[in-house]
Amino acid sequence: MSAFRMLQYRPLMWALALLMALASCLKEPDSPSQGISLSVRLGKPSEFSSSSVDLSGIIVSLTSSTGAYYEQETDAEGVATFPSIIPEIYALSAVSEISGADYTRLTGIQVGNNDYRLSATLSDQVLSGGQTLSLPLVAQAKSSLLISKVYYAGSKDTNNRNYTAGQYVEIFNNSDEEIDLTGLYLGIVESYSSSAFFAERVEQSAFLKQVYRIPAKRLAPGATVLLVNSAIDHRDKSEHEQDLSQADFEAKDTSPRNPRPNNADIPALELVYTFSDALSYMNLVGGGPTSLVIFRTDLDLGSLPRYRNTGTTTGNGLCLALPVETVIDGVDLLKLRAGTSESSDAKKLATFIDAGYKTINSTTGYTGEVVVRRVERRESGRVYLMDTNNSTNDLEVRTGVSVRVY
Amino acid sequence: MTRSCLLCLSLALIASGSLLGQSGARTGQQAKVKRDKQSQKPHSPRAEGRLELTVREASKSGVPIPLASIVLQPLALAQVSDGRGEVRLSGIPDGSYTLEVSSMGYVTERRTVSISAGPPVSLNVELKPSTLALGEVTVTATPNVSSPSTSSTIGRQAMDHLQAMSLADVMQLIPGQLMQSTDLTSRSNLQLRSLVNNSTSAFGSSIVVDGVPISQNAQLTQGNFSSTAFVGTDLRNISTDDLESVEVVRGIPSAEYGDLTSGLVIAKSKVGLSPLSLRAKIGPAVRNYSASKGLAVGKSRGDVVNFSLDYVQAWGDPRRKTRSFDRYIASVGYAFRPSNQWYTTTRLRYGLGRDWTGTDPDVVADGSFNKSMNHSLGLTHSGQISLGEGRRRHSLNYTLGLTYGMQKTDISTFVAVPQGSLAIINALETGYHDTQIQTSSYRATGITESRPLSLFVKASDRFRLRTARLRHQLSYGVEYRLDHNNARGYYNADDRYPLRPNSNGRPRPFRDIPPLHQLSLFAEDQMRLPLGKGHALRLHLGARLSAQQPWADNATLALSPRINAGYELGRYLELRAGIGWSSKAPGLAYLYPDRRYSDRIAVNYRPTSNPLGHKVVYHTYVYDDVRNPNLSNATSRKIEFGLDVKLPNRGRLSLIAYHDQTPSGFEILPEYTVYDANYYSQTQGLIMSPAGETTVDWTNPERTDKVFLSSGKLGNTAEAVNRGVEMDFDFGEIKSLRTTVYLSGAYSETETRSMARQASDPRGLPVAYTQTGTIPFKVFYPGGLAYSTYRQVVNTLRLVTRIPELRMVASLSGQVVWYQWRKDTTPGRNPIAYLDTNLQEHPITEAMLQDPSYTISGVRLSDQVIDTRENVPVKQPITWMLSARLTKELGNVAILSLYANNMLYHEPFLSSSASSTLTQRNAGSFSFGAELSIKL
């Protein structure tokens, strides 16, 4: 009976104890004598195959419902020891980050150049002292920058002639943090219609015909950076064309003959590599393939191996073989092949970068079609785009798309 | 002045030569006569007889036939009958001869005659009108067995049965040529023994109509040399209704015909009496109407005037009339005999070919079109004068041809501006020029006017000679050709809206190009050595010396010898072999290429804020040194071995193995020049004001680019080799079926390569170069290593059934392409040299190649090595086709013919060995039609 009553009053007692503890904490926060000790052992994520995973130096934090907060770093064994905490109901959490390369090393799974967040949470834990809690970590890729829109199809002008100067690419910050784009590379993948040599090596390298670097730009969460070939208003040419005069960066056309109109007010997208003479603008092939990657690397791009599309004559330029692990995001945009047994060319990007591919609905382009990333959800005015690493799911082909709008 | 002198000189040479021959012969005669007197032999073998002949139609009326051709073989003594159908030949050596009497519309009569001294032999020859009732109809190409070179003749009846509308249709009767339905809306040139469209081969094929070659030397088109542009004679413009026969020479031609490398077609127009003949050929995509008549004129009714009219209208596809071709031809021929020894034919011919290509009105009617008009007016006059008698007889032939063409091509379309900015550059001088910019597509019309004029004069003499046991037939002659193009050339309807807004689209007046002169001498000796027992050796020796532009710095001179030998082994077998060189002089287009224009942007300042300050300047560089004085003739060497077997049942078999090599075809040389072009930018060189105009500080460029430009010079570096075996098999007639079986076929192989060093831009250039579109050097690779090989095996079986009782001929042709194969061989190549911007050439050594880090001007040498490309040969699946034709005479008045090409509509989708893509075979070959021909 009394035990029952005791149980009945247990919350009250706890509240009393909490009050006391709070009072004592406030008074003497460092007093060890009043608390209990606790050990928290971090568990490695289930996909980590390597036994020697270094889980040291990770901050484990305890937050009680009343606001008590403790944090400790893990030791070499991955154990965080809290010598004195007030017995209470706590939420436990641990957060760490590893690079994509480390993730690949520890799991054997090939991933791109995105950081991985290792995190664990346990809520509503009643800690009564002397315990050793196990806290298993979960690894998750940090979704950050995405290639969100590619307009490579071009359009037909009022005289039914091709118009391609209005091509553009958008990159979207799908994270909740501002991202510094400085030094981010945009790579345009080779567009040969038959390139068995490249196709065989596609899981190791992305073969780039052109590389651009974004000079300096901070991108707010949910914001878009617009990269264009010609930052002028193109709307008089076709109903499909947009006003690109407010673009963020423009690939300056330095062709000695008939360069695209450039806008001196728009900063230049820095050309790092191009495979062909006088091709300084983004060479987005109207009907595809126009596969794109964004990547970061400390490698000297000049030292990367270069390959020619074997099986063609001497006039072909060399393509840079970019190691796939440097890729942050990639979209495999292929050419539609009508009337043949295969609906498109061989994939030009590794499956882990893009498990699928997308084509526009025309074999030749000039239809005004834009490849757009689908919206996953909208939260209080903010858009989150779909990112399952599979263009077939994540992208859709539409016309009448405005820039920076999803 | 000099030219005319030379011409006079050559004509004088001819005349004196023939006189010399005559006088020589005369002294010989005197000597002989003397000797005859001394020996006092009454029946000397050198006695001479006479032949009197009357040629009449084998009918009740027995009307005499004027202009019938009488040839006495093997003397090759030829004469033409007069208005009473009479011919007198005298001075014929004692002996037995084959007399050949032929006339248009009649069956050729051959008989053996014995001539001896004494009273003239009188003969009455009756020619049967050739009708299907006779059962002696030839509807296939006949190989010319006794002719010195490999050739086939296609007669009038074969052309009728084929229902040919142009010379292009006729070619399918030649062994190895593919059966096809000729689409008259696209131009078609002659490609003999070549499996790939080869511009040198097309340019080097000669079509001779009534003794005058159709000259291509003054054919000029806008822009620079293109290896894929159409060259050669457009076969569509030659109507077949007007022709009596077509001879296609694939082998080593007689030295009489020159300025060719590959193939000769000799077409002869109708000359002779003929009733008014009206023809109509209709098919879903083509219509052809023609009328012709030959009537006797003159005092003795011995002269004949031939009229002919021809009209063709064709569409490429009857369902979509977006392409059309119209052809009008009118000609008047006049055969006139000023005397018994002099026979002339004169012909005036006018032709108009009109091509039109427009947009499909069902898609988008934007008014774009491409139309071309090709007027041509030709006058040919040829004559034959017989001098002397018998052995001392000289046959003087002369031909005069004057052709004037008026060609105009209008192309009107919208020029796309996909990059949103297009410079309108009209500058014709080197320098910096302010330039207008087009930002949207615009309508443009470009016109090319070409007026080729060609003059052809040829005179030759033919006579016979006997040395020991050898019988010679000698001929020699001189030929002069003049080609000029007196036209405005290429121009834009409005220079603000050029059709080809690039460096290849500048106006060019053709009349600025100097005329082309060619002078040729030729001599030929046809020998025959009888060896007894039916064995005989035939030997044809010939040589031709051609000089082009003899007094200019780009003169070419070519000697083309040839020898054909035949050995007759009895009546049934003949072996032959030959080797011969022939050469085609470069035409005006190759000798005088257009100037080279190179345009680069020098100022590109277009601030959005200040429209007044916009400034776009282009630098234009004009390169004038485009002529290659070392350009020589394209020369081909043909080697042949052949076998002709006569089979029982009037059958025969001809086999020919050939090897034709043209090592000196025309193509652009890898030669470069370098020029400087400045670039002025906002940061350096431009003086800008916020709201005013922008000016250029010309002395202060941001950079000076060194720009490579191809010199545009042509060289003799394109090589083509054709080899193979041709077969022509006539099994004779299967009497019970009244069917003759013909099997022809060929294994052909073509190999093409460029012997010139291969030049390339270096690869893996630093961005500093790629950004400005410049290169630090050109890389050279050895030439001749990469080549393409084509192979084909084709057989055509023709079953010809003749039913004279029904006055009907039916033929069924089946063709199988057993094998069609192509391979590109591209071995790995190391660079051998590079050319820097000072035009200094530096060799690339093995040591440099061994060093993986070796760079030239910051470019890795290792990037310049071309890897071997493992090409898979492409083999096409077996395809076949069946065609049927029927000709039936309706009384003596009308002939009805029907045809169906690819009659089973076998147009399957098949894939080749190298690709899974399905491609339609025999595409567009299905066609049918009917012809009604009425004789009044």
Side-chain angles (χ1 to χ4, degrees):
Chain A
M1 175 71 183
S2 67
F4 179 67
R5 275 171 67 179
M6 280 288 279
L7 274 168
Q8 255 191 333
Y9 287 107
R10 218 161 124 180
L12 199 72
M13 280 174 70
W14 276 118
L16 200 72
L18 192 74
L19 207 72
M20 283 163 69
L22 206 68
S24 63
C25 274
L26 286 170
K27 279 175 196 163
E28 293 172 14
D30 292 323
S31 164
S33 59
Q34 293 177 5
I36 53 168
S37 74
L38 178 73
S39 294
V40 178
R41 177 180 289 276
L42 292 181
K44 59 176 187 176
S46 55
E47 70 264 37
F48 279 35
S49 54
S50 173
S51 53
S52 60
V53 179
D54 179 13
L55 296 177
S56 67
I58 297 172
I59 308 281
V60 179
S61 60
L62 307 177
T63 312
S64 79
S65 50
T66 55
Y69 179 80
Y70 302 92
E71 60 173 44
Q72 286 292 337
E73 240 179 59
T74 53
D75 61 11
E77 303 298 311
V79 177
T81 308
F82 295 84
S84 170
I85 59 166
I86 298 165
E88 248 252 54
I89 299 177
Y90 284 95
L92 287 76
S93 74
V95 176
S96 176
E97 273 185 18
I98 58 167
S99 68
D102 283 344
Y103 181 86
T104 300
R105 182 172 56 77
L106 295 169
T107 59
I109 302 167
Q110 182 126 51
V111 294
N113 190 10
N114 274 323
D115 287 345
Y116 272 69
R117 185 197 296 269
L118 299 180
S119 62
T121 47
L122 272 177
S123 49
D124 295 341
Q125 294 295 311
V126 180
L127 302 180
S128 53
Q131 291 163 295
T132 300
L133 276 176
S134 180
L135 194 59
L137 288 164
V138 175
Q140 204 174 19
K142 283 174 73 178
S143 170
S144 55
L145 292 172
L146 296 174
I147 296 170
S148 52
K149 220 182 266 175
V150 188
Y151 175 50
Y152 58 96
S155 61
K156 292 277 186 190
D157 71 7
T158 45
N159 291 323
N160 199 36
R161 289 299 180 273
N162 299 346
Y163 189 76
T164 57
Q167 293 172 325
Y168 65 86
V169 175
E170 285 184 9
I171 297 169
F172 185 80
N173 181 355
N174 209 29
S175 77
D176 291 327
E177 296 148 21
E178 187 183 68
I179 296 176
D180 185 0
L181 296 184
T182 309
L184 181 77
Y185 291 104
L186 171 74
I188 302 179
V189 179
E190 52 86 15
S191 49
Y192 296 110
S193 59
S194 65
S195 50
F197 177 83
F198 293 144
E200 280 167 22
R201 292 157 181 80
V202 81
E203 294 296 329
Q204 290 81 47
S205 303
F207 294 94
L208 306 181
K209 61 178 183 181
Q210 285 179 306
V211 177
Y212 294 89
R213 183 163 47 206
I214 293 174
K217 173 87 183 171
R218 297 188 74 83
L219 196 61
T224 299
V225 63
L226 176 61
L227 313 176
V228 303
N229 274 331
S230 174
I232 61 166
D233 189 348
H234 298 274
R235 286 176 298 183
D236 59 327
K237 300 298 189 310
S238 158
E239 51 170 352
H240 296 299
E241 297 297 333
Q242 301 290 316
D243 180 3
L244 301 180
S245 56
Q246 301 305 313
D248 294 291
F249 296 101
E250 184 185 52
K252 300 294 179 188
D253 193 342
T254 55
S255 313
R257 276 170 287 276
N258 296 317
R260 282 151 181 70
N262 286 146
N263 185 341
D265 301 335
I266 305 297
L269 190 59
E270 191 188 330
L271 177 68
V272 180
Y273 180 77
T274 182
F275 73 132
S276 173
D277 257 13
L279 249 146
S280 57
Y281 60 92
M282 293 187 285
N283 184 221
L284 307 172
V285 180
T290 299
S291 300
L292 300 173
V293 292
I294 48 175
F295 63 97
R296 284 183 198 273
T297 183
D298 297 330
L299 295 168
D300 170 18
L301 294 186
S303 67
L304 288 180
R306 299 165 187 183
Y307 296 99
R308 184 173 304 123
N309 181 22
T310 50
T312 44
T313 45
T314 55
N316 279 308
L318 298 164
C319 293
L320 292 184
L322 180 78
V324 281
E325 22 337 323
T326 61
V327 173
I328 293 170
D329 187 38
V331 285
D332 214 356
L333 304 177
L334 302 179
K335 182 179 175 67
L336 178 71
R337 284 206 174 162
T340 56
S341 47
E342 285 164 25
S343 62
S344 79
D345 299 302
K347 267 182 66 62
K348 293 195 179 282
L349 288 178
T351 18
F352 83 87
I353 298 175
D354 187 345
Y357 66 86
K358 202 74 186 172
T359 68
I360 55 169
N361 299 317
S362 145
T363 51
T364 51
Y366 314 114
T367 48
E369 290 170 286
V370 187
V371 177
V372 191
R373 200 171 275 274
R374 290 176 206 270
V375 173
E376 187 189 62
R377 63 183 199 278
R378 291 177 198 274
E379 276 177 19
S380 53
R382 165 74 208 277
V383 172
Y384 289 90
L385 300 181
M386 198 178 280
D387 179 22
T388 64
N389 269 358
N390 186 335
S391 291
T392 314
N393 300 330
D394 297 346
L395 304 181
E396 59 183 336
V397 176
R398 302 208 316 250
T399 53
V401 179
S402 300
V403 289
R404 301 184 205 266
V405 175
Y406 294 92
Chain B
M1 187 66 197
T2 350
R3 274 172 237 156
S4 50
C5 277
L6 218 93
L7 189 64
C8 289
L9 196 74
S10 3
L11 281 169
L13 244 161
I14 279 277
S16 62
S18 77
L19 283 173
L20 259 170
Q22 257 191 324
S23 59
R26 204 169 286 139
T27 40
Q29 183 198 14
Q30 283 162 355
K32 268 178 261 152
V33 170
K34 230 177 171 178
R35 221 186 305 138
D36 285 352
K37 275 181 186 163
Q38 284 170 347
S39 55
Q40 294 291 323
K41 277 182 187 166
H43 298 290
S44 157
R46 300 197 187 280
E48 287 168 355
R50 280 178 290 166
L51 176 67
E52 285 180 11
L53 208 69
T54 311
V55 188
R56 290 177 184 282
E57 186 178 292
S59 62
K60 277 178 211 159
S61 58
V63 286
I65 303 173
L67 294 181
S69 147
I70 287 95
V71 183
L72 205 58
Q73 292 288 18
L75 286 181
L77 197 63
Q79 186 70 276
V80 181
S81 64
D82 64 11
R84 294 183 300 275
E86 288 173 8
V87 180
R88 281 185 197 82
L89 296 168
S90 55
I92 308 164
D94 242 14
S96 178
Y97 300 98
T98 306
L99 176 71
E100 227 178 74
V101 183
S102 59
S103 181
M104 187 182 85
Y106 295 95
V107 179
T108 301
E109 178 79 20
R110 280 187 193 85
R111 57 174 77 169
T112 310
V113 288
S114 283
I115 312 279
S116 53
V121 179
S122 231
L123 273 179
N124 228 339
V125 179
E126 293 199 328
L127 293 183
K128 285 180 255 178
S130 61
T131 74
L132 299 183
L134 294 174
E136 292 176 12
V137 191
T138 308
V139 296
T140 53
T142 316
N144 298 326
V145 176
S146 56
S147 116
S149 53
T150 308
S151 68
S152 307
T153 299
I154 298 135
R156 185 62 251 163
Q157 281 171 321
M159 287 187 265
D160 279 345
H161 186 65
L162 193 68
Q163 293 165 65
M165 269 166 272
S166 80
L167 207 51
D169 288 324
V170 173
M171 293 304 148
Q172 58 185 286
L173 294 177
I174 303 302
Q177 295 277 320
L178 295 181
M179 293 201 311
Q180 56 188 340
S181 284
T182 318
D183 175 8
L184 284 169
T185 61
S186 45
R187 295 188 288 182
S188 136
N189 57 18
L190 185 65
Q191 296 283 348
L192 285 173
R193 289 179 171 172
S194 177
L195 292 179
V196 59
N197 193 17
N198 181 309
S199 61
T200 301
S201 154
F203 186 60
S205 59
S206 179
I207 314 242
V208 178
V209 180
D210 297 331
V212 178
I214 299 175
S215 174
Q216 296 304 312
N217 289 331
Q219 289 294 347
L220 289 160
T221 50
Q222 178 266 330
N224 297 119
F225 172 82
S226 153
S227 61
T228 52
F230 181 88
V231 287
T233 306
D234 188 356
L235 300 178
R236 294 180 307 166
N237 288 328
I238 302 162
S239 160
T240 50
D241 280 359
D242 193 20
L243 298 180
E244 181 59 29
S245 70
V246 174
E247 187 186 353
V248 182
V249 182
R250 311 190 291 287
I252 303 151
S254 152
E256 192 185 338
Y257 299 100
D259 207 27
L260 58 92
T261 55
S262 48
L264 168 69
V265 175
I266 303 164
K268 288 199 175 89
S269 293
K270 285 178 184 172
V271 176
L273 282 185
S274 70
L276 178 65
S277 150
L278 301 171
R279 289 159 180 272
K281 294 178 201 145
I282 51 166
V286 68
R287 256 149 239 195
N288 182 190
Y289 307 102
S290 69
S292 64
K293 181 164 175 63
L295 48 104
V297 292
K299 256 184 269 171
S300 61
R301 316 291 288 167
D303 305 326
V304 173
V305 177
N306 281 85
F307 296 97
S308 103
L309 289 169
D310 179 279
Y311 170 64
V312 164
Q313 185 177 32
W315 303 276
D317 184 335
R319 296 164 299 180
R320 282 171 67 231
K321 295 189 175 180
T322 57
R323 301 165 67 81
S324 75
F325 173 68
D326 291 70
R327 183 186 72 194
Y328 306 80
I329 293 174
S331 80
V332 185
Y334 180 43
F336 175 60
R337 288 158 45 103
S339 78
N340 246 355
Q341 274 70 44
W342 189 8
Y343 168 60
T344 68
T345 49
T346 309
R347 189 171 291 267
L348 187 68
R349 194 190 305 262
Y350 166 76
L352 166 63
R354 210 167 58 184
D355 277 294
W356 174 84
T357 307
T359 39
D360 187 346
D362 296 341
V363 187
V364 179
D366 66 358
S368 296
F369 62 83
N370 182 342
K371 61 180 184 189
S372 69
M373 301 269 263
N374 184 353
H375 297 268
S376 71
L377 192 63
L379 176 73
T380 60
H381 173 76
S382 59
Q384 186 190 321
I385 303 169
S386 304
L387 293 172
E389 301 246 292
R391 242 187 257 294
R392 298 159 299 282
R393 192 180 139 107
H394 281 256
S395 168
L396 236 66
N397 289 282
Y398 65 91
T399 310
L400 211 118
L402 186 66
T403 317
Y404 184 57
M406 290 200 314
Q407 298 159 2
K408 192 176 173 203
T409 304
D410 288 58
I411 299 172
S412 186
T413 190
F414 280 97
V415 172
V417 187
Q419 67 275 43
S421 171
L422 183 73
I424 306 299
I425 311 168
N426 300 312
L428 297 173
E429 308 288 333
T430 298
Y432 294 90
H433 306 275
D434 277 322
T435 305
Q436 292 300 310
I437 296 293
Q438 278 290 335
T439 58
S440 303
S441 57
Y442 60 88
R443 175 179 280 289
T445 305
I447 301 133
T448 310
E449 276 179 24
S450 175
R451 295 189 175 179
L453 170 82
S454 63
L455 173 72
F456 176 83
V457 182
K458 177 167 141 183
S460 65
D461 174 30
R462 178 176 298 180
F463 61 97
R464 304 181 53 76
L465 206 72
R466 197 166 167 160
T467 55
R469 288 170 65 200
L470 267 178
R471 286 185 197 151
H472 300 265
Q473 183 179 313
L474 290 152
S475 63
Y476 63 93
V478 61
E479 187 188 290
Y480 169 75
R481 298 177 192 222
L482 168 81
D483 287 287
H484 184 51
N485 200 320
N486 180 30
R488 193 175 163 188
Y490 175 75
Y491 59 94
N492 292 305
D494 185 341
D495 273 340
R496 289 172 302 166
Y497 302 104
L499 177 67
R500 295 185 181 89
N502 52 44
S503 52
N504 217 3
R506 302 292 167 80
R508 183 193 193 192
F510 295 159
R511 56 172 69 105
D512 294 354
I513 299 167
L516 190 74
H517 304 273
Q518 284 173 273
L519 190 65
S520 313
L521 302 169
F522 60 87
E524 203 166 35
D525 185 0
Q526 304 192 12
M527 287 171 268
R528 196 181 138 89
L529 180 68
L531 297 167
K533 290 182 192 169
H535 288 217
L537 180 70
R538 270 194 305 110
L539 208 59
H540 296 256
L541 300 175
R544 191 179 171 91
L545 183 71
S546 317
Q548 180 171 265
Q549 302 295 69
W551 37 80
D553 60 346
N554 49 3
T556 70
L557 190 72
L559 177 71
S560 323
R562 64 209 74 198
I563 176 164
N564 274 302
Y567 191 81
E568 290 165 28
L569 277 154
R571 283 172 60 195
Y572 295 107
L573 182 64
E574 182 174 345
L575 300 173
R576 52 206 176 96
I579 179 165
W581 283 261
S582 49
S583 90
K584 173 82 188 89
L588 288 178
Y590 301 105
L591 279 176
Y592 304 96
D594 196 4
R595 301 199 290 174
R596 303 277 299 161
Y597 297 90
S598 177
D599 308 306
R600 283 178 75 82
I601 202 157
V603 175
N604 184 23
Y605 182 61
R606 281 181 278 173
T608 28
S609 47
N610 177 20
L612 198 64
H614 281 210
K615 193 159 185 73
V616 178
V617 176
Y618 268 77
H619 175 260
T620 294
Y621 179 72
V622 184
Y623 185 71
D624 232 335
D625 186 19
V626 289
R627 282 173 47 199
N628 178 6
N630 299 322
L631 188 67
S632 61
N633 288 15
T635 302
S636 75
R637 188 198 64 198
K638 284 173 185 277
I639 301 175
E640 288 194 336
F641 292 99
L643 173 81
D644 293 306
V645 188
K646 276 186 193 158
L647 301 171
N649 241 355
R650 293 164 73 187
R652 57 181 157 69
L653 167 70
S654 298
L655 276 175
I656 295 128
Y658 64 90
H659 183 280
D660 301 355
Q661 188 179 24
T662 311
S664 47
F666 306 111
E667 75 183 356
I668 292 269
L669 286 176
E671 271 189 24
Y672 296 90
T673 182
V674 172
Y675 70 90
D676 288 345
N678 290 341
Y679 184 76
Y680 304 88
S681 75
Q682 284 158 267
T683 47
Q684 196 175 338
L686 288 188
I687 304 155
M688 296 154 289
S689 65
E693 289 185 9
T694 308
T695 52
V696 184
D697 178 4
W698 296 108
T699 55
N700 185 26
E702 185 191 76
R703 56 166 212 269
T704 300
D705 292 332
K706 297 270 183 195
V707 187
F708 280 86
L709 176 69
S710 163
S711 74
K713 282 194 178 90
L714 282 140
N716 297 90
T717 50
E719 187 185 72
V721 178
N722 297 322
R723 51 184 165 238
V725 180
E726 286 169 350
M727 176 189 76
D728 210 329
F729 201 167
D730 178 350
F731 289 88
E733 189 177 14
I734 304 167
K735 288 263 160 38
S736 53
L737 294 173
R738 297 172 164 200
T739 298
T740 314
V741 182
Y742 302 92
L743 179 69
S744 69
Y747 164 76
S748 352
E749 186 177 296
T750 296
E751 207 175 274
T752 56
R753 68 175 84 202
S754 168
M755 299 307 289
R757 290 196 306 179
Q758 200 189 343
S760 175
D761 287 1
R763 278 153 301 185
L765 285 174
V767 165
Y769 288 109
T770 51
Q771 214 158 25
T772 57
T774 55
I775 50 169
F777 56 90
K778 280 266 176 192
V779 200
F780 290 114
Y781 299 91
L785 294 179
Y787 59 94
S788 299
T789 317
Y790 306 78
R791 286 178 193 153
Q792 181 176 287
V793 178
V794 61
N795 271 127
T796 310
L797 184 74
R798 290 191 167 88
L799 304 176
V800 180
T801 306
R802 301 177 184 92
I803 311 172
E805 293 85 345
L806 295 175
R807 304 182 74 164
M808 195 166 89
V809 172
S811 74
L812 183 71
S813 309
Q815 184 167 70
V816 186
V817 182
W818 300 106
Y819 184 66
Q820 219 171 29
W821 185 92
R822 186 214 163 130
K823 189 180 181 202
D824 295 319
T825 306
T826 44
R829 274 152 288 171
N830 285 335
I832 47 169
Y834 69 94
L835 184 74
D836 68 17
T837 50
N838 297 320
L839 293 176
Q840 292 295 310
E841 195 175 309
H842 307 271
I844 291 172
T845 61
E846 195 58 34
M848 288 155 78
L849 286 164
Q850 294 302 325
D851 179 1
S853 59
Y854 195 91
T855 58
I856 304 164
S857 306
V859 183
R860 278 189 253 170
L861 183 59
S862 56
D863 281 346
Q864 315 309 324
V865 175
I866 301 178
D867 307 320
T868 303
R869 178 181 164 193
E870 296 300 333
N871 294 312
V872 195
V874 183
K875 207 172 108 182
Q876 304 294 349
I878 294 174
T879 50
W880 54 268
M881 205 196 289
L882 279 181
S883 296
R885 296 188 145 72
L886 181 88
T887 306
K888 162 109 179 85
E889 281 176 356
L890 307 169
N892 286 327
V893 183
I895 302 171
L896 181 70
S897 304
L898 305 166
Y899 75 90
N901 285 333
N902 191 9
M903 57 188 286
L904 297 183
Y905 191 64
H906 180 62
E907 297 192 1
F909 279 89
L910 299 171
S911 60
S912 73
S913 65
S915 154
S916 59
T917 308
L918 298 172
T919 318
Q920 194 171 17
R921 310 290 154 169
N922 297 338
S925 60
F926 172 68
S927 65
F928 55 91
E931 173 178 349
L932 184 67
S933 162
I934 299 170
K935 278 178 191 160
L936 297 172

